[in-house]
Amino acid sequence: MARALELARRGLYTTDPNPRVGCVVVRDGQVVGEGWHERAGGPHAEVRALEAAGEGARGADVYVTLEPCNHHGRTPPCSEALVRAGVGRVVAACADPNPLGGDGGRARLEAAGIPVEMGVLAREAEALNPGFFARLRRGRPWLRLKLAASLDGRTAMASGESQWITGPAAREDVQRWRARSSAVMTGAGTVLADDPRLTARLEGLTRQPLRVVIDGHLSVPETARLFESEAPLLVITASEDAGAAERLRARGAEVLCLPAGGGGVDLEAALQHLAQREVNEVLVEAGATLAGSLLDAGLVDELIFYYAPCLLGHQARPMFHLPALARLEDRVALEVDEVRAVGGDWRVRARPAGG
């Protein structure tokens, strides 16, 4: 199963909106076939592994990082392929949460007399596809919030100057997070201040994430660099200004108007809409207002902080705009998962405590 997970990681940047899945076929203690899912619409991991194994798959043990699918989508059910191949046993890391699977691949395999074992390295398998499981289980993508700051927690000078606090290695690392994401989200304030393109800039990419701008008043200018890329762009607003919306559509953007919530765009409704579009993982790169709103609403699943070895002082801009906290016990508690050096900076990965 560890080898199957290693294979699944090869699809980190390419399988969206499908999960990253790997498969290993073993007969008489020897690996006779391997496969992984490369991209949506292409063969699933089990099919590729069975093709590689050929007749060696008959009576073999199959290790797969996700319960074989049991529904017709762009490709036929993998459960049927395993039955036709005459495999002897299937070991799956975790259950398929997709409701289209009906009773699931496990039930279909066991009905055909093929024993199925579940739960081997399940935690690791789910960690490889957090957005896929989040979207199907709760109707909302996995939201990853990225912030770059000085050691005193400041993201920009009081003037707004922020390029660049962190070094090139940290900025390259951010590109990897963009590339694996279904969508990259920011706020209109960041567009006005930094004029980003929000594209993923890794060599060899075959897809670009959806770029999402939360723009409550449709203040994004038509001259923004967002419009210089052909990568898909979605502007989510609470404004009913049809003229402003049409100007952005004329520049190639999709504009979605949602009911206002809390004085601006209803952020939970925005994320639910993205889930309906099969968005699994969202990377948020935004200023203190949107970052604070998402955190305060309980919509952040993971935080990635890049800390540069410098100090910007108390007048510089903070990471989050949050409601005033009167007591220490009201603080936002985090659980740190990882701390590592990235070039001359430090990356800290954390989660809201109890999330």
Side-chain angles (χ1 to χ4, degrees), residues 324-331:
L325 304 178
R327 299 170 299 176
L328 187 60
E329 65 185 48
D330 296 330
R331 67 191 183 275

Side-chain angles (χ1 to χ4, degrees), residues 78-224:
C78 291
S79 58
E80 296 294 340
L82 290 163
V83 171
R84 287 196 305 272
V87 303
R89 180 176 68 128
V90 172
V91 181
C94 47
D96 183 3
N98 195 333
L100 294 177
D103 292 332
R106 178 177 188 169
R108 174 67 186 91
L109 292 167
E110 290 180 339
I114 300 172
V116 178
E117 181 180 346
M118 303 280 286
V120 178
L121 297 183
R123 185 174 180 178
E124 291 82 353
E126 290 202 19
L128 186 60
N129 294 293
F132 176 75
F133 286 96
R135 171 170 65 85
L136 290 172
R137 286 174 176 167
R138 70 186 187 194
R140 199 174 76 233
W142 181 268
L143 192 140
R144 190 176 280 125
L145 178 59
K146 165 259 168 183
L147 293 155
S150 59
L151 282 182
D152 55 348
R154 301 293 166 164
T155 61
M157 304 303 295
S159 64
E161 180 187 358
S162 63
Q163 296 180 340
W164 298 100
I165 293 176
T166 54
R171 298 198 296 273
E172 182 179 349
D173 195 57
V174 172
Q175 294 301 319
R176 297 188 185 94
W177 291 107
R178 283 189 186 183
R180 68 171 285 170
S181 299
S182 309
V184 178
M185 177 186 290
T186 195
T190 298
V191 174
L192 293 170
D194 298 338
D195 200 15
R197 289 189 178 91
L198 294 182
T199 52
R201 297 185 291 277
L202 286 185
E203 290 187 12
L205 288 182
T206 58
R207 53 167 289 274
Q208 281 288 334
L210 172 69
R211 298 171 300 158
V212 180
V213 180
I214 303 297
D215 185 2
H217 304 290
L218 289 179
S219 56
V220 169
E222 301 162 58
T223 56

